[in-house]
Amino acid sequence: MPELPEVETVRRTLAPAVGATIASAWDSGKPLHMRRKPPRARLHALVGGKIAGLRRHGKYLLIDIAHRGVEPTTLIVHLGMTGRLLVCPHAAPRAPHTHVVLGLGARDLRFVDPRRFGQVDVVATAAERSHAALAQLGPDALVDGVDGDALFARSRGKEATLKAFVLDQSVLAGVGNIYASEALWRAQLRPSTRARRLTRAQAGQLAAAIEEVLRNALDHNGTSLRDFVDAGGAEGTNADYLWVYGREGEPCPRCKTRIRRVVHQGRATFYCPTCQRA
DNA sequence: ATCACGACCTGGAGGC
DNA sequence: TGCCTCCAGGTCGTGA
């Protein structure tokens, strides 16, 4: 579910929680991503701390915790496919698949994730760059922008398809399966084309397309196909504005050819066979 | 080293 | 109604 625009939407809607003091910590004990359980001891060590800021890198949300007399700490959250980060009343019943709850007085910050592909970890802020999840991430597509020349350089010699290239978080952090199809359609590039075939000019078009697609999605508070909601539980409206994703058989918005669906590396890819020629 | 694939999970949708 | 299969916004370890 959550790609960069969705995670950024969560970050923005979480803003009212900044300044709140963590009064309690709870976790389900159930394993999440890579069968790793939430770090119970480190979550409990957050109690007494204050939410000092909210950052994001790619699809990772970084919640900074300030704690008097303790080095600054960061709660790292990845929503996986079905994860939600919700602010709700402390008294609200706990939804099924709730895995982490930080009590903030009258409210709770809750991590809910049915498929348990999400991640929750706690690290010293000073050491976050060496955290396994963050160490390999490329520049953030929104904060750092997308540099066509950098994309061109990274694509040299690559046999991987453009679809895989755009999804590679070490090249660029934030693009997922929906926006990969959308950006390649926008740039009129075929998903199955080898990355090494990209020209410098095409790399520039791809960079611009990625930025446009992500910004548009963010303007609509993200794409809610099934699970995605913001921190207040509201869905995004970007699903109404998708050009090709999920639109197999529908006319291409540019040339009216029927949109095709193929599977690359086990993931659905949507494209127009007529106007995505390169 | 690079690349494609399967595994990790649950739930919803659709066919029978 | 129930059961079955297929599908899903991500990431990682494996083996070719």
Side-chain angles (χ1 to χ4, degrees):
Chain A
M1 105 157 103
E3 307 181 30
L4 186 155
E6 290 75 35
V7 180
E8 177 63 14
T9 298
V10 171
R11 191 188 73 82
R12 292 179 180 183
T13 53
L14 222 45
V18 172
T21 297
I22 298 166
S24 62
W26 174 91
D27 74 273
S28 67
K30 290 255 181 69
L32 303 175
H33 180 67
M34 299 304 293
R35 300 171 175 176
R36 270 200 280 276
K37 295 179 180 179
R40 182 168 292 176
R42 280 175 285 154
L43 286 168
H44 278 279
L46 299 177
V47 172
K50 233 179 202 180
I51 297 180
L54 302 165
R55 294 175 293 135
R56 180 193 54 73
H57 194 335
K59 304 172 193 173
Y60 288 88
L61 191 62
L62 306 169
I63 304 175
D64 290 317
I65 315 288
H67 206 156
R68 198 165 297 182
V70 181
E71 63 176 342
T73 307
T74 297
L75 181 64
I76 301 175
V77 178
H78 191 295
L79 300 177
M81 292 276 259
T82 53
R84 298 179 171 192
L85 207 51
L86 298 166
V87 173
C88 61
H90 183 67
R94 202 170 276 173
H97 309 296
T98 299
H99 293 109
V100 175
V101 178
L102 294 180
L104 307 175
R107 293 168 300 171
D108 278 352
L109 178 60
R110 301 185 184 181
F111 176 72
V112 180
D113 185 8
R115 288 179 76 179
R116 289 191 269 128
F117 290 171
Q119 310 175 42
V120 176
D121 208 352
V122 178
V123 296
T125 306
E128 71 180 25
R129 294 311 309 180
S130 53
H131 188 274
L134 305 181
Q136 305 302 322
L137 290 184
D140 181 82
L142 210 64
V143 174
D144 305 314
V146 188
D147 178 355
D149 287 340
L151 283 190
F152 180 71
R154 285 296 301 267
S155 65
R156 295 307 80 193
K158 275 212 179 294
E159 282 298 326
T161 61
L162 281 179
K163 173 80 186 306
F165 179 67
V166 169
L167 284 174
D168 184 343
Q169 302 297 297
S170 75
V171 171
L172 187 66
V175 179
N177 203 43
I178 293 178
Y179 303 121
S181 281
E182 294 291 294
L184 289 169
W185 179 84
R186 189 62 176 151
Q188 300 188 55
L189 297 169
R190 189 158 295 210
S192 57
T193 297
R194 304 286 140 178
R196 64 176 170 77
R197 306 269 313 266
L198 208 58
T199 66
R200 189 178 287 277
Q202 287 169 340
Q205 288 160 9
L206 179 57
I210 290 171
E211 283 205 18
E212 181 187 0
V213 161
L214 296 180
R215 282 186 200 289
N216 285 349
L218 189 51
D219 286 345
H220 299 124
N221 303 312
T223 301
S224 295
L225 294 181
R226 311 170 216 290
D227 302 298
F228 170 67
V229 291
D230 68 20
E235 295 189 340
T237 60
N238 195 246
D240 297 338
Y241 302 91
L242 296 174
W243 291 310
V244 292
Y245 187 89
R247 299 199 185 280
E248 180 182 21
E250 295 181 35
C252 168
R254 203 159 35 214
C255 75
K256 309 304 175 202
T257 303
R258 286 180 183 282
I259 296 300
R260 215 172 264 179
R261 176 187 185 275
V262 293
V263 175
H264 287 135
Q265 291 136 217
R267 323 215 43 202
T269 304
F270 299 85
Y271 73 103
C272 171
T274 299
C275 59
Q276 287 174 261
R277 284 241 173 252

Coordinates of all heavy atoms in Angstrom, one line a residue, chain A residues 84-161:
Chain A
R84 N -0.9 0.4 9.2 CA -1.5 1.7 9.5 C -0.9 2.3 10.8 O -0.6 1.6 11.7 CB -3.0 1.6 9.7 CG -3.8 1.1 8.6 CD -5.2 0.9 8.9 NE -6.0 0.6 7.7 CZ -7.3 0.7 7.6 NH1 -8.0 1.0 8.7 NH2 -7.9 0.4 6.5
L85 N -0.7 3.6 10.8 CA -0.2 4.3 12.0 C -1.4 5.3 12.3 O -1.7 6.2 11.5 CB 1.1 5.0 11.7 CG 2.0 5.3 12.9 CD1 2.3 4.0 13.7 CD2 3.3 5.9 12.3
L86 N -2.0 5.1 13.4 CA -3.2 5.8 13.8 C -3.1 6.5 15.1 O -2.5 6.0 16.0 CB -4.4 4.8 13.8 CG -4.8 4.1 12.6 CD1 -5.7 2.9 12.9 CD2 -5.4 5.0 11.6
V87 N -3.6 7.7 15.1 CA -3.8 8.4 16.4 C -5.3 8.3 16.7 O -6.2 8.7 15.9 CB -3.4 9.9 16.3 CG1 -3.8 10.6 17.6 CG2 -1.9 10.0 16.1
C88 N -5.6 7.7 17.9 CA -7.0 7.5 18.3 C -7.1 7.7 19.8 O -6.2 7.7 20.5 CB -7.5 6.1 17.8 SG -6.6 4.8 18.6
P89 N -8.4 7.8 20.2 CA -8.6 8.0 21.7 C -8.0 6.8 22.5 O -8.1 5.6 22.0 CB -10.1 8.1 21.8 CG -10.6 8.5 20.5 CD -9.7 7.9 19.5
H90 N -7.4 7.1 23.6 CA -6.8 6.0 24.4 C -7.9 5.0 24.8 O -7.5 3.8 24.9 CB -6.3 6.7 25.7 CG -5.6 5.7 26.6 ND1 -4.4 5.1 26.2 CD2 -5.9 5.2 27.8 CE1 -4.0 4.3 27.2 NE2 -4.9 4.3 28.2
A91 N -9.1 5.4 24.9 CA -10.2 4.5 25.3 C -10.7 3.6 24.2 O -11.5 2.7 24.4 CB -11.3 5.2 26.0
A92 N -10.4 4.0 23.0 CA -11.0 3.3 21.8 C -10.6 1.8 21.9 O -9.4 1.5 22.2 CB -10.5 3.9 20.5
P93 N -11.5 0.9 21.5 CA -11.1 -0.5 21.5 C -10.0 -0.8 20.5 O -9.8 -0.1 19.5 CB -12.4 -1.2 21.0 CG -13.3 -0.2 20.4 CD -12.9 1.1 21.0
R94 N -9.2 -1.7 20.9 CA -8.0 -2.1 20.1 C -8.4 -2.9 18.9 O -8.9 -4.0 19.1 CB -7.0 -2.8 21.0 CG -5.6 -2.8 20.6 CD -4.7 -3.3 21.6 NE -4.3 -2.3 22.6 CZ -3.7 -2.6 23.7 NH1 -3.3 -3.8 24.0 NH2 -3.4 -1.6 24.6
A95 N -8.1 -2.4 17.7 CA -8.5 -3.2 16.5 C -7.7 -4.5 16.4 O -6.6 -4.5 17.0 CB -8.2 -2.3 15.3
P96 N -8.2 -5.5 15.7 CA -7.4 -6.7 15.5 C -6.1 -6.3 14.8 O -6.1 -5.3 14.0 CB -8.3 -7.5 14.6 CG -9.7 -7.0 14.7 CD -9.5 -5.5 15.1
H97 N -5.1 -7.1 15.0 CA -3.8 -6.9 14.4 C -3.1 -5.6 14.8 O -2.3 -5.0 14.1 CB -3.9 -6.9 12.8 CG -4.6 -8.1 12.3 ND1 -4.1 -9.3 12.5 CD2 -5.8 -8.2 11.7 CE1 -5.0 -10.2 11.9 NE2 -6.0 -9.5 11.5
T98 N -3.4 -5.1 16.0 CA -2.7 -4.0 16.6 C -1.4 -4.6 17.2 O -1.4 -5.5 17.9 CB -3.5 -3.3 17.7 OG1 -4.7 -2.8 17.1 CG2 -2.7 -2.2 18.3
H99 N -0.3 -4.0 16.8 CA 1.0 -4.6 17.2 C 1.8 -3.7 18.1 O 2.7 -4.2 18.9 CB 1.8 -5.1 16.0 CG 1.1 -6.2 15.3 ND1 0.5 -6.1 14.1 CD2 0.9 -7.5 15.7 CE1 0.0 -7.2 13.8 NE2 0.2 -8.1 14.7
V100 N 1.7 -2.4 18.0 CA 2.4 -1.5 18.9 C 1.5 -0.4 19.3 O 0.7 0.2 18.5 CB 3.7 -0.9 18.2 CG1 4.3 0.1 19.2 CG2 4.7 -2.0 17.9
V101 N 1.4 0.0 20.6 CA 0.7 1.1 21.1 C 1.5 2.0 22.0 O 2.1 1.5 22.9 CB -0.6 0.6 21.9 CG1 -1.3 1.9 22.4 CG2 -1.5 -0.2 21.0
L102 N 1.7 3.2 21.6 CA 2.3 4.2 22.5 C 1.2 5.1 23.1 O 0.5 5.8 22.3 CB 3.3 5.1 21.8 CG 4.6 4.3 21.2 CD1 5.5 5.3 20.5 CD2 5.3 3.6 22.3
G103 N 1.0 5.0 24.4 CA 0.0 5.9 25.1 C 0.6 7.3 25.1 O 1.7 7.5 25.6
L104 N -0.3 8.2 24.7 CA 0.1 9.7 24.7 C -0.9 10.5 25.6 O -1.3 11.5 25.3 CB 0.1 10.2 23.3 CG 0.9 9.5 22.3 CD1 0.7 10.1 20.9 CD2 2.4 9.5 22.6
G105 N -1.3 9.9 26.7 CA -2.3 10.6 27.6 C -3.7 10.2 27.1 O -4.1 9.1 27.1
A106 N -4.4 11.3 26.6 CA -5.8 11.0 26.2 C -5.9 10.2 24.9 O -6.9 9.7 24.5 CB -6.5 12.4 26.0
R107 N -4.7 10.2 24.1 CA -4.7 9.5 22.9 C -3.7 8.5 22.8 O -2.8 8.4 23.7 CB -4.4 10.6 21.7 CG -5.6 11.6 21.5 CD -5.1 12.7 20.6 NE -4.0 13.4 21.2 CZ -3.3 14.3 20.6 NH1 -3.6 14.6 19.3 NH2 -2.3 14.9 21.1
D108 N -3.8 7.6 21.8 CA -2.8 6.6 21.5 C -2.2 6.8 20.1 O -2.9 7.2 19.2 CB -3.4 5.2 21.5 CG -3.6 4.6 22.9 OD1 -3.1 5.2 23.9 OD2 -4.2 3.6 23.0
L109 N -0.9 6.4 20.0 CA -0.4 6.2 18.7 C -0.3 4.7 18.5 O 0.3 4.0 19.3 CB 1.0 6.8 18.6 CG 1.8 6.6 17.2 CD1 1.0 7.3 16.1 CD2 3.2 7.3 17.3
R110 N -1.0 4.2 17.4 CA -1.1 2.7 17.3 C -0.6 2.3 15.9 O -1.0 2.9 14.9 CB -2.6 2.3 17.5 CG -3.1 2.6 18.8 CD -4.5 2.0 19.0 NE -5.1 2.5 20.2 CZ -6.3 2.1 20.7 NH1 -7.1 1.3 19.9 NH2 -6.8 2.5 21.8
F111 N 0.1 1.2 15.9 CA 0.6 0.5 14.7 C -0.3 -0.7 14.5 O -0.2 -1.6 15.3 CB 2.0 0.2 14.7 CG 2.6 -0.5 13.5 CD1 2.7 0.1 12.3 CD2 2.9 -1.9 13.6 CE1 3.1 -0.5 11.2 CE2 3.3 -2.5 12.5 CZ 3.5 -1.9 11.3
V112 N -1.0 -0.8 13.4 CA -1.9 -1.9 13.1 C -1.5 -2.5 11.7 O -1.3 -1.7 10.8 CB -3.4 -1.4 13.0 CG1 -4.3 -2.6 12.7 CG2 -3.8 -0.7 14.3
D113 N -1.3 -3.8 11.7 CA -0.8 -4.3 10.4 C -1.2 -5.8 10.2 O -0.5 -6.7 10.7 CB 0.7 -4.2 10.4 CG 1.3 -4.7 9.0 OD1 0.5 -4.9 8.1 OD2 2.6 -4.7 8.9
P114 N -2.3 -6.1 9.5 CA -2.8 -7.4 9.4 C -1.7 -8.4 8.8 O -1.6 -9.5 9.3 CB -4.0 -7.3 8.4 CG -4.5 -5.9 8.6 CD -3.2 -5.1 8.9
R115 N -1.1 -8.0 7.7 CA -0.1 -9.0 7.1 C 1.2 -9.0 7.8 O 2.0 -9.9 7.5 CB 0.0 -8.6 5.6 CG -1.2 -8.9 4.8 CD -1.1 -8.6 3.4 NE -0.3 -9.5 2.6 CZ 0.0 -9.4 1.3 NH1 -0.5 -8.4 0.6 NH2 0.7 -10.3 0.7
R116 N 1.5 -8.1 8.6 CA 2.7 -8.1 9.4 C 4.0 -8.0 8.5 O 5.0 -8.7 8.8 CB 2.8 -9.3 10.4 CG 1.8 -9.1 11.5 CD 2.0 -10.1 12.6 NE 1.2 -11.3 12.4 CZ 1.7 -12.5 12.4 NH1 3.0 -12.7 12.6 NH2 0.9 -13.6 12.3
F117 N 3.9 -7.3 7.4 CA 5.1 -7.0 6.6 C 5.8 -5.8 7.0 O 6.8 -5.4 6.5 CB 4.7 -6.9 5.1 CG 4.3 -8.2 4.5 CD1 3.8 -8.2 3.2 CD2 4.5 -9.4 5.1 CE1 3.4 -9.4 2.5 CE2 4.1 -10.6 4.5 CZ 3.6 -10.6 3.2
G118 N 5.2 -5.0 8.0 CA 5.7 -3.8 8.4 C 6.9 -3.9 9.4 O 7.2 -5.1 9.8
Q119 N 7.5 -2.8 9.7 CA 8.7 -2.9 10.6 C 8.5 -1.8 11.6 O 8.1 -0.7 11.3 CB 10.0 -2.6 9.8 CG 10.2 -3.4 8.6 CD 11.4 -3.0 7.8 OE1 12.5 -2.8 8.4 NE2 11.3 -3.0 6.5
V120 N 8.9 -2.1 12.8 CA 9.0 -1.1 13.9 C 10.3 -1.3 14.6 O 10.6 -2.4 15.0 CB 7.9 -1.2 14.9 CG1 8.0 -0.2 16.1 CG2 6.5 -1.0 14.2
D121 N 11.1 -0.3 14.7 CA 12.4 -0.4 15.4 C 12.7 0.9 16.2 O 12.2 1.9 15.8 CB 13.5 -0.8 14.5 CG 14.6 -1.6 15.2 OD1 14.6 -1.7 16.4 OD2 15.5 -2.1 14.5
V122 N 13.6 0.8 17.1 CA 14.0 1.9 17.9 C 15.6 2.0 17.8 O 16.2 1.0 18.1 CB 13.6 1.8 19.4 CG1 14.1 3.0 20.2 CG2 12.1 1.7 19.4
V123 N 16.1 3.2 17.4 CA 17.5 3.3 17.3 C 18.0 4.7 17.9 O 17.1 5.6 18.0 CB 18.0 3.3 15.8 CG1 17.8 1.9 15.2 CG2 17.4 4.4 15.0
A124 N 19.2 4.8 18.3 CA 19.8 6.1 18.6 C 19.8 6.9 17.3 O 20.3 6.5 16.3 CB 21.2 5.9 19.2
T125 N 19.3 8.1 17.4 CA 19.2 9.0 16.2 C 20.5 9.1 15.6 O 20.7 9.1 14.3 CB 18.6 10.4 16.6 OG1 17.4 10.2 17.3 CG2 18.4 11.2 15.4
A126 N 21.6 9.3 16.3 CA 22.9 9.5 15.8 C 23.4 8.3 15.0 O 24.3 8.4 14.1 CB 23.9 9.8 16.9
A127 N 22.8 7.1 15.2 CA 23.3 5.9 14.5 C 22.3 5.4 13.5 O 22.4 4.4 12.9 CB 23.5 4.8 15.6
E128 N 21.2 6.2 13.2 CA 20.2 5.7 12.3 C 20.6 5.4 10.9 O 20.1 4.5 10.3 CB 19.0 6.7 12.3 CG 19.3 8.0 11.5 CD 18.1 9.0 11.5 OE1 17.3 8.9 12.4 OE2 18.1 9.8 10.5
R129 N 21.7 6.1 10.4 CA 22.1 5.9 9.1 C 22.7 4.5 8.9 O 22.9 4.0 7.8 CB 23.1 7.0 8.6 CG 22.5 8.4 8.5 CD 21.2 8.4 7.7 NE 21.3 7.8 6.4 CZ 20.2 7.7 5.5 NH1 19.1 8.3 5.9 NH2 20.4 7.1 4.4
S130 N 23.2 4.0 10.0 CA 23.8 2.6 9.9 C 22.8 1.5 10.2 O 23.1 0.3 10.2 CB 25.0 2.5 10.9 OG 24.6 2.9 12.2
H131 N 21.5 1.9 10.5 CA 20.5 0.9 10.6 C 20.3 0.2 9.3 O 20.3 0.8 8.2 CB 19.2 1.6 11.0 CG 18.1 0.6 11.4 ND1 17.3 0.0 10.5 CD2 17.7 0.1 12.6 CE1 16.4 -0.8 11.1 NE2 16.7 -0.8 12.4
A132 N 20.2 -1.2 9.4 CA 20.1 -2.0 8.1 C 19.1 -1.5 7.2 O 19.3 -1.5 5.9 CB 19.9 -3.4 8.5
A133 N 17.9 -1.0 7.7 CA 16.8 -0.7 6.8 C 17.1 0.7 6.1 O 16.7 0.8 4.9 CB 15.5 -0.5 7.6
L134 N 17.9 1.5 6.7 CA 18.1 2.9 6.1 C 19.4 3.0 5.4 O 19.6 3.9 4.5 CB 18.0 3.9 7.2 CG 16.8 3.9 8.1 CD1 16.8 5.1 9.1 CD2 15.5 4.1 7.2
A135 N 20.4 2.1 5.7 CA 21.7 2.3 5.2 C 21.8 2.3 3.7 O 22.6 3.0 3.1 CB 22.6 1.2 5.8
Q136 N 21.0 1.5 3.0 CA 21.1 1.3 1.6 C 20.2 2.2 0.8 O 20.2 2.2 -0.4 CB 20.8 -0.2 1.2 CG 21.6 -1.2 1.9 CD 23.1 -1.0 1.7 OE1 23.6 -0.7 0.7 NE2 23.9 -1.2 2.8
L137 N 19.4 3.1 1.5 CA 18.5 3.9 0.8 C 19.2 5.0 -0.1 O 20.1 5.7 0.4 CB 17.5 4.5 1.7 CG 16.5 3.6 2.4 CD1 15.5 4.5 3.3 CD2 15.7 2.8 1.4
G138 N 18.7 5.2 -1.3 CA 19.1 6.3 -2.1 C 18.5 7.6 -1.7 O 17.8 7.6 -0.6
P139 N 18.7 8.7 -2.4 CA 18.0 9.9 -2.1 C 16.5 9.8 -2.0 O 15.9 9.0 -2.8 CB 18.5 10.9 -3.2 CG 19.0 10.0 -4.3 CD 19.5 8.7 -3.6
D140 N 15.9 10.6 -1.2 CA 14.4 10.6 -1.1 C 13.9 11.4 -2.3 O 14.3 12.5 -2.6 CB 14.0 11.3 0.2 CG 12.5 11.3 0.2 OD1 11.9 10.3 0.7 OD2 11.8 12.4 -0.1
A141 N 12.9 10.8 -3.0 CA 12.4 11.3 -4.3 C 11.8 12.7 -4.1 O 11.7 13.4 -5.1 CB 11.4 10.3 -4.9
L142 N 11.3 13.0 -2.9 CA 10.6 14.3 -2.7 C 11.5 15.3 -2.0 O 11.7 16.4 -2.5 CB 9.4 14.1 -1.9 CG 8.2 15.0 -2.2 CD1 7.7 14.9 -3.6 CD2 7.1 14.8 -1.2
V143 N 12.1 14.9 -0.9 CA 13.0 15.8 -0.2 C 14.2 16.2 -1.0 O 14.6 17.4 -1.0 CB 13.4 15.2 1.2 CG1 14.4 16.1 1.9 CG2 12.2 14.9 2.1
D144 N 14.9 15.2 -1.5 CA 16.1 15.5 -2.3 C 15.8 15.8 -3.8 O 16.7 16.3 -4.5 CB 17.0 14.2 -2.2 CG 17.3 13.9 -0.7 OD1 17.6 14.8 0.1 OD2 17.2 12.7 -0.4
G145 N 14.6 15.4 -4.2 CA 14.3 15.6 -5.6 C 14.9 14.4 -6.5 O 15.7 13.6 -6.0
V146 N 14.5 14.3 -7.7 CA 14.9 13.3 -8.6 C 15.9 13.9 -9.7 O 15.4 14.7 -10.4 CB 13.8 12.5 -9.3 CG1 14.3 11.3 -10.0 CG2 12.7 12.1 -8.2
D147 N 17.1 13.4 -9.7 CA 18.1 14.0 -10.6 C 18.3 13.1 -11.8 O 18.7 11.9 -11.7 CB 19.4 14.1 -9.8 CG 20.6 14.6 -10.6 OD1 20.4 14.8 -11.9 OD2 21.7 14.9 -10.1
G148 N 17.9 13.6 -13.0 CA 17.9 12.8 -14.2 C 19.3 12.3 -14.5 O 19.5 11.2 -14.9
D149 N 20.3 13.1 -14.3 CA 21.7 12.7 -14.6 C 22.1 11.6 -13.6 O 22.9 10.7 -14.0 CB 22.7 13.9 -14.4 CG 22.5 14.9 -15.6 OD1 22.0 14.5 -16.6 OD2 22.9 16.1 -15.5
A150 N 21.7 11.7 -12.4 CA 22.0 10.6 -11.4 C 21.3 9.3 -11.8 O 21.9 8.3 -11.7 CB 21.6 11.0 -10.0
L151 N 20.1 9.4 -12.3 CA 19.4 8.2 -12.7 C 20.1 7.6 -13.9 O 20.3 6.4 -14.0 CB 18.0 8.5 -13.2 CG 16.9 8.8 -12.1 CD1 15.5 8.8 -12.7 CD2 16.9 7.7 -11.0
F152 N 20.5 8.5 -14.8 CA 21.3 8.1 -16.0 C 22.5 7.3 -15.6 O 22.8 6.2 -16.1 CB 21.6 9.3 -16.9 CG 22.4 8.9 -18.2 CD1 21.7 8.2 -19.2 CD2 23.7 9.2 -18.3 CE1 22.4 7.9 -20.3 CE2 24.4 8.9 -19.4 CZ 23.8 8.2 -20.5
A153 N 23.3 7.9 -14.7 CA 24.6 7.3 -14.2 C 24.3 5.9 -13.6 O 25.0 5.0 -13.9 CB 25.3 8.2 -13.3
R154 N 23.3 5.9 -12.8 CA 23.0 4.6 -12.1 C 22.5 3.5 -13.0 O 22.6 2.3 -12.7 CB 22.0 4.8 -11.0 CG 22.5 5.5 -9.7 CD 23.6 4.6 -9.0 NE 23.1 3.3 -8.6 CZ 22.6 3.1 -7.4 NH1 22.5 4.0 -6.5 NH2 22.3 1.8 -7.1
S155 N 22.0 3.9 -14.2 CA 21.4 2.9 -15.1 C 22.4 2.3 -16.0 O 22.1 1.3 -16.7 CB 20.3 3.6 -15.9 OG 20.8 4.6 -16.8
R156 N 23.6 2.9 -16.1 CA 24.7 2.4 -17.0 C 25.0 0.9 -16.7 O 25.3 0.6 -15.6 CB 25.9 3.2 -16.9 CG 25.8 4.7 -17.4 CD 25.2 4.9 -18.7 NE 23.7 4.7 -18.7 CZ 22.9 4.6 -19.8 NH1 23.5 4.5 -20.9 NH2 21.6 4.5 -19.6
G157 N 24.9 0.1 -17.7 CA 25.3 -1.3 -17.6 C 24.3 -2.2 -17.0 O 24.5 -3.4 -16.8
K158 N 23.2 -1.6 -16.6 CA 22.2 -2.4 -15.9 C 21.3 -3.2 -16.8 O 20.6 -2.6 -17.7 CB 21.3 -1.5 -15.0 CG 21.9 -1.2 -13.6 CD 20.8 -1.0 -12.6 CE 21.3 -0.7 -11.2 NZ 22.1 -1.8 -10.7
E159 N 21.3 -4.5 -16.6 CA 20.4 -5.4 -17.4 C 19.0 -5.4 -16.8 O 18.1 -5.9 -17.5 CB 21.0 -6.8 -17.4 CG 22.1 -7.0 -18.3 CD 21.8 -6.8 -19.8 OE1 20.6 -7.1 -20.2 OE2 22.6 -6.3 -20.5
A160 N 18.8 -4.9 -15.6 CA 17.4 -4.9 -15.0 C 16.5 -4.1 -15.9 O 16.9 -3.2 -16.6 CB 17.5 -4.4 -13.6
T161 N 15.2 -4.5 -15.8 CA 14.2 -3.7 -16.5 C 14.0 -2.3 -15.9 O 14.4 -2.1 -14.7 CB 12.8 -4.4 -16.5 OG1 12.4 -4.5 -15.1 CG2 12.9 -5.8 -17.1

